[in-house]
Amino acid sequence: MLSGLVATDWAGDRFDLSRTARRRLSLGFAVLAVLLLLAFVGISGASFETESIESSS
């Protein structure tokens, strides 16, 4: 959501960002969101596997 907000003309006018800067910020926030999602899934999957191993012992 933040990446979409940064890409708007309103944000460009409000924060005095050029079109290129808005595009880079938008892309950066999108990449950050994907990395956080992958980290969340990885940590959740690792904790789930640990619980199943411990319960089978």
Side-chain angles (χ1 to χ4, degrees):
M1 184 169 156
L2 191 57
S3 66
L5 180 66
V6 173
T8 62
D9 289 333
W10 172 85
D13 294 338
R14 175 94 172 149
F15 302 113
D16 194 30
L17 299 170
S18 68
R19 177 172 271 188
T20 305
R22 284 186 286 161
R23 189 178 311 127
R24 286 183 182 158
L25 279 172
S26 179
L27 183 60
F29 283 127
V31 168
L32 179 63
V34 169
L35 289 175
L36 288 174
L37 177 68
L38 290 174
F40 175 76
V41 169
I43 291 170
S44 294
S47 64
F48 176 74
E49 290 176 13
T50 302
E51 290 176 12
S52 65
I53 291 171
E54 289 175 359
S55 64
S56 66
S57 296

